[in-house]
Amino acid sequence: MPLPWLEPLYQQLAQSYSQQRFHHAQLFNGDIGVGKRELVDMLADALLCSNAHNLIACGKCKSCQLNRANTHPDKRVVKAEGQTIGVDEVREITDFINHSSAQNGNKVVVLEHSHKMTTAAANALLKTLEEPSLNRYLLLTCEQLALLPATILSRCAVHEVKVNPSLAKKWLGEFNIPHYSWLELFVEQPMLIEHWYNEKQLDSIDSLYKFATELKDSDNFSALVEILSKDSTLINVFVLFLTEHLKEKLVLGMDFFSYQKAQQAIAEFLYNSSHVLGLNMSLAISKLAFSLRESQN
């Protein structure tokens, strides 16, 4: 069964499939951690299953066994290896779709992070979308619809994947996660919390939160540098904590000029972290701490 907050959307998809109104290109947009990958994997399994019911795979047939082993010849998963998805990867999708299916059924392509396609890649995909083949399905995920051309969006069935916070909290409750004051910030990204839990990163996230609230008063950033250097995806989490702490300061009486100055320093740190090759993280954090100290004195 789908994740609890995904059930209404999945029921809609199952109904459209049973009524033969299921679009050949389905695009699922939403934040990191809302369950897009889990959704498209479940859909792909059902579309390839030889005995699916209500768009739910049986789990027993040969196709399901192949899916479980990640060896199904009629399923292709494409995602960005670096910062972008290039035209060659998309041309491979077209080639894959145009060949006969190995199991004499459907063929499915999962295209993750479709917003990372280059212009040439998007144009190549457009040709495939304009000429849909029977029993061929494209399942796309996206985090920023604005980065996709309107021509792509107009040829896909676009779905917003959102999380019901109460359902997410109940689901997360099964993991017996310790209470952290910052958890509420990510309750609408439950799969992200699950990932941190499984990777034993929750204490590191908590350390980021504490550093964010005390950064301007600190002098030793070695532990912070180690966490961010080990997993660069946590830089955005750290910046979120900094921004939320700054908002609290504004509510408590921080003058708006100082607030803007501090926000600018945080934005500069975030930009440099993602655009400057070989960035000296220790130096960048020291500079950020100095700027925050200056803005709040």
Side-chain angles (χ1 to χ4, degrees):
M1 293 299 292
L3 294 161
W5 58 89
L6 297 178
E7 286 185 15
L9 173 57
Y10 207 89
Q11 288 174 4
Q12 292 176 22
L13 293 166
Q15 185 177 30
S16 68
Y17 188 76
S18 67
Q19 296 174 349
Q20 298 184 335
R21 294 187 292 104
F22 192 82
H23 201 278
H24 71 283
Q26 303 280 344
L27 173 60
F28 301 95
N29 181 61
D31 288 337
I32 296 171
V34 298
K36 300 186 300 296
R37 179 58 197 268
E38 290 73 14
L39 176 64
V40 296
D41 276 347
M42 191 171 177
L43 271 177
D45 288 354
L47 290 168
L48 293 170
C49 176
S50 60
N51 194 31
H53 179 66
N54 289 334
L55 210 55
I56 303 291
C58 73
K60 300 177 181 179
C61 68
K62 182 179 179 181
S63 282
C64 286
Q65 292 173 9
L66 289 168
N67 275 323
R68 196 156 42 241
N70 294 318
T71 56
H72 202 298
D74 294 326
K75 179 182 178 181
R76 179 68 57 87
V77 178
V78 179
K79 53 187 173 182
E81 295 300 332
Q83 295 297 315
T84 61
I85 297 173
V87 66
D88 289 340
E89 288 98 317
V90 173
R91 284 173 178 161
E92 287 178 8
I93 291 174
T94 303
D95 185 60
F96 172 77
I97 284 176
N98 287 338
H99 280 76
S100 301
S101 64
Q103 296 295 310
N104 297 317
N106 296 332
K107 297 190 78 170
V108 178
V109 172
V110 174
L111 178 58
E112 293 188 58
H113 313 302
S114 59
H115 57 283
K116 292 187 177 182
M117 285 189 294
T118 62
T119 300
N123 288 336
L125 183 65
L126 185 60
K127 294 178 182 178
T128 301
L129 295 175
E130 287 174 337
E131 301 171 3
S133 301
L134 190 64
N135 300 327
R136 302 295 186 264
Y137 298 97
L138 282 89
L139 308 176
L140 300 83
T141 69
C142 177
E143 289 154 26
Q144 299 181 58
L145 280 183
L147 296 181
L148 281 173
T151 48
I152 295 288
L153 296 177
S154 66
R155 287 163 176 79
C156 295
V158 181
H159 309 276
E160 289 293 330
V161 182
K162 297 182 179 179
V163 173
N164 180 312
S166 61
L167 292 176
K169 286 180 181 179
K170 184 177 180 181
W171 181 78
L172 286 168
E174 299 174 4
F175 293 90
N176 295 316
I177 294 173
H179 175 72
Y180 295 101
S181 56
W182 47 266
L183 272 178
E184 194 68 27
L185 292 171
F186 299 99
V187 72
E188 294 186 23
Q189 296 173 278
M191 307 308 294
L192 192 55
I193 296 175
E194 184 206 26
H195 170 74
W196 291 335
Y197 173 79
N198 290 335
E199 296 298 317
K200 296 179 171 53
Q201 288 183 295
L202 290 173
D203 286 342
S204 293
I205 307 297
D206 196 48
S207 294
L208 291 182
Y209 180 76
K210 291 171 181 175
F211 267 113
T213 58
E214 302 166 0
L215 187 66
K216 74 180 184 65
D217 301 317
S218 303
D219 293 312
N220 186 355
F221 308 116
S222 57
L224 175 59
V225 171
E226 183 179 354
I227 293 171
L228 297 182
S229 298
K230 190 174 181 180
D231 186 352
S232 61
T233 65
L234 297 182
I235 291 174
N236 286 326
V237 176
F238 179 56
V239 166
L240 174 63
F241 289 155
L242 287 169
T243 304
E244 290 298 317
H245 180 62
L246 202 57
K247 289 178 182 177
E248 291 177 9
K249 290 283 187 182
L250 183 63
V251 171
L252 293 173
M254 181 183 190
D255 72 88
F256 193 66
F257 176 76
S258 297
Y259 172 80
Q260 285 186 311
K261 190 175 179 182
Q263 278 282 45
Q264 185 177 355
I266 294 171
E268 182 181 347
F269 169 75
L270 179 61
Y271 179 85
N272 289 339
S273 297
S274 58
H275 289 80
V276 178
L277 293 175
L279 177 71
N280 186 319
M281 185 59 71
S282 181
L283 186 61
I285 291 173
S286 296
K287 181 181 177 182
L288 173 62
F290 176 79
S291 298
L292 293 177
R293 197 176 295 130
E294 287 290 299
S295 68
Q296 296 176 47
N297 286 338

